[in-house]
Structures are given as C-alpha cells and as structure tokens.
Amino acid sequence: MRGDPPLSIIGVLENAIYSPYRAKFASYTPSPLLEDDSTLILLARIAAIFILAAALVLLPVAIFDALKLSETKFAESKLRARETQATIRVGVMRHPTVFYIDANGEPAGLEYDLASAFTVTQRSQAEWKLFATPEEAMSALERGELDFVAMGTSAPPPNAASLPYIATQTRYRESGWILLHSPKKFQPKSFAELLPRRVVVSSRIVSHPRFLEIAQKNPKIEFVPDLKHDDESLMAAVGDDELEYAIVEEDTFTSSRHFHYDTQRAFVVSPAQSRAWFFAPSQTALRDVADAFLKRIVRDGQIARVIDKYFGFPGARKQEEFEVFTERVNSVLPRYRNWFHEAQERHGVEWRLLAAVAYQESHWNADATSETGVRGIMQFTEDTAKRYGVDRLDPYSSIIGAARYIAELKRDALAARINEPDKTWLALAAYNIGIGHVENARILTQRSKKNPDSWVDVRRHLPLLTNPDIASQFKLGTCRCGMPVDFVESVRAYYDVLLRLETPHQPRLKVLEKT
C-alpha cells in the first residue's frame, strides 16, 4: 500500500523516542490513582502520531518549494554571469589553416577551432577580428586592440631581437616552408637552380625574422611579397603556370593540395617550426593559461582529432587521381546527380558524401566488377544486395540501397554516444569491411587505452587485424583491414573536393494538396 512507508517511519520514530523511557521505568508500578490515566496517555500518543504524519505530508511540499526557489536563483545567477561574461578579442586571417567559412556556411579552420575551445574554457566569448596579414594583427595587438593573435604563424627564433609580444611555448603543430613550382618548369633542388630568379612569397612568411635571414643569404634571388594575401590563389597561379615559383607554408600546401593538384612541391626552404599564439607583454597570465590549455590537449590527444580534420586526408590520393576525378565530376557525375539527391532525401546521407563513396568504389562506373565479386556503382556484395533488395547493375537501385545501408550503420550498428564526424567515418569503414571487423578494431583501441569512438584512434588499430596473432582473439579472424583506412581517407579527400565544386542539395518543400 502507498501509505505503508510513512507509517513505518512513524513507528521507527516512536520507538526511538519512547524506548529509553520504557527501559528506565520497566520496574515502576504506578499508584492506583494513576492507573485510570492510561486513556489520556493513549490519546496523547495518537495525537503525536497525527502530528508526525502531517509533518511528513507537508515536508515534500516545502522541499519542492525550496528546490524551485533554488532553481530560480541558479537560473538568475547564470543569466547575470552571461551578462557579465568576459570577451576575449582574437586576431585571425582568412586562410585554409586559420579561419574560413566552410561549405555549410559555418566558420572553420585549425586556429579558429583551437581558439574557440580555449575561450570556452575561460568561460568567455570570443570576439573575432579579421586582418589581411599577421603584421596588421601584431600592430593591433601592440595598440591594445587584441588580447591575442591566433594565426598559426611560427614563433620567432631564440636569437631574434626583442619583440613587442610574447608567444606560447607549447608545440601543438609544426610546419616548414616549401618552394612550389609550375608543372611545366624544371624542378629545382635549391635556390641556386632557380631560373628565372624571381619568387613570390606568402604574406604569412615574407616579414618573418627567419625568412629575412634566408633572403639575406640569397641576395641574387628577387623575393616578392604576395600583395593579394591569398595563399590559395598563389598556389593556383603556380599550378596554372602564371607564376614560376612561390613559397608557402607546408601546412597550407598539405591542406589544399587536392584542390591544386597541378602545383608541384620543389624543396624545403625552412624546416618545420612550431606554430604559436601571440600576446601583449602585459598579458603574461593569459599567455600562461593558453599554454596550459595547449599542453593539455596535446597530452590527452584531443589535438590529434583537430589536426586530422584539416590535414589527415588530402594526401590520400595522388595528383593524377585528383585530375581524373575533377574531369569526371564534369563528364560523369551529372548522369547520377539527381539519384544522389533523391538518396539524400530518402535516407539523410549528404549527397556529395554518397557520391564520393561511389567514386571511390567504382569511379562512377555502373558496370564495375571487382576481383572479389562485388559489383555495380556502389560495389555491393551479393549477400548485402539481397538483404537490401538491390539490383547491383542498376545504378539507381544501388545508390538508394547504399544510402539506406550507410544510414542504418550509423543509426543501428554504432553506439549512439559516438559524435560526428567520427560516426560517419566509422560507418564508412564498416561499409567497406563489415561492422564486425570495425567493432573488433574498436575493442583493440579501447584495450590500448585510446578512444574507441574516435576515427583517428580506431584507424591506427584496424590494420592490426591483418596480423593472425592479434586477429585470432576474435571470431571473425583476420581481414584486409588496411583497406578500410585507405577507403575512408580517400572518400574524405574526394568529398572535400565535391564540397567545393558542387552545391548542397536543398529539397523543395512538398505542398500538400487540399482534400
């Protein structure tokens, strides 16, 4: 009965109150005159019971009111904190490795992601200020218009003259400088082999103390600053043979080489140097906190996921492969575009991602057949095709079936706690090699005290399943588990190109007919 628990509590309280007195007066014999007073005692006990019962009924109401009041005060305190939240002014520039607006209209970039996370740890809001060059940002920092500059530029050398700023010391990412050359020109191996002797230099590099030293050592070379302040345009100009030579950061080339596949890497101008954030000399405390933040994300491995987002996949394919891919985007993809759009509408898989999967599987060849017996534009096995009712040689059926398969892998086969984009990359690995092998790799990842929900960590452990000694721990045994790693990284590279070349699909709203 619902009344049992309160009555039980009353009984306990009653025993606790009266038992000492019962023990004390156990041998006491009341006088005859008081024996008839037992009725009064009984009434007093009944009254006490009713008082306690009333208290227990009213107590939850009082607690609820107190909690409600506390919750209201907490919400008001949060509102006041938000209103008084500090703002951290961060200087950035539009650049593939710093800050840009991605294909979804969202801000992105390595330095943007890191600086955003840092301001969150400080319970502050970031106020982003855009500059054309690092020099402009440093001048603003010196004037007190910024709290720090996060442009990914390298720290000055130890022997540099005294500078009007201080830098972080944590080595969270390193990048050297490289010379690029046109594919129609001879590949030089040093500055001595340059003909003509004119080089356009990225505005991120040209004023750096290290580069000034390089220029002094090569007085016969004409080093010209890039007045457009646009490294992507600079790389494109070299690839299109509009410029013979250019110097950019290696990170810039790495993150964008799949867009500028004609641009060639000649030689290293300066070895890898640590990127850094810069603060005014008066901001030593903020610099130290930022250093601690960077050190923590390097130590716990969080930085690896961010680095992988921007630099992990562009090198998965060769230059000539991107050249063929770009040509087929124009000549072959239009045949299937509407079907990819429909697949997105029906199963929620972004159409350009699905198109990238199809290209990696078959180069958009509806009649493709591999040596292992998989067939069609999406390379279905016979068993999987039967399970999803797919006609493997019908490209429409294959595209719709593949979208459904990938959607179900993400929704049903992988843990709900896995975040994007890791869930998508793990689902694509499962599409390629099977969910069982992917789960075995996740187990190995967890045993190694890494994150089984992170693609960066799991992809290091997938190839281990090619080893019979390791794979024998699992029922499925060995697999060619280097293949899904290459598969996923290639899809990511092609997808990144499609995000730039193709527009997103926005399904039209269906107008319901009046009945």
Coordinates of all heavy atoms in Angstrom, one line a residue, residues 1-7:
M1 N 0.8 -1.2 0.0 CA 0.0 0.0 0.0 C 0.9 1.3 0.0 O 2.0 1.3 0.5 CB -0.9 0.0 1.2 CG -1.9 -1.1 1.2 SD -2.9 -1.1 2.7 CE -3.6 0.5 2.7
R2 N 0.3 2.4 -0.6 CA 1.1 3.6 -0.8 C 1.3 4.2 0.6 O 2.2 5.0 0.8 CB 0.4 4.5 -1.7 CG 0.4 4.0 -3.1 CD -0.3 5.0 -4.1 NE 0.4 6.2 -4.2 CZ 0.0 7.3 -4.9 NH1 -1.1 7.2 -5.5 NH2 0.7 8.3 -4.9
G3 N 0.5 3.9 1.6 CA 0.6 4.5 2.9 C 1.6 3.8 3.8 O 1.9 4.3 4.9
D4 N 2.1 2.6 3.4 CA 3.0 1.9 4.3 C 4.3 2.5 4.6 O 4.7 2.6 5.8 CB 3.3 0.5 3.6 CG 2.1 -0.4 3.7 OD1 1.1 -0.1 4.4 OD2 2.1 -1.4 3.0
P5 N 5.0 3.1 3.7 CA 6.3 3.7 4.1 C 6.2 4.8 5.1 O 7.0 4.7 6.1 CB 6.9 4.2 2.7 CG 6.2 3.3 1.7 CD 4.8 3.1 2.3
P6 N 5.3 5.8 5.0 CA 5.3 6.8 6.1 C 4.9 6.2 7.5 O 5.5 6.6 8.5 CB 4.2 7.7 5.6 CG 4.1 7.5 4.1 CD 4.5 6.1 3.9
L7 N 4.0 5.2 7.5 CA 3.6 4.6 8.8 C 4.8 3.9 9.4 O 5.0 3.8 10.6 CB 2.4 3.7 8.6 CG 1.1 4.4 8.3 CD1 0.0 3.4 8.0 CD2 0.7 5.4 9.4

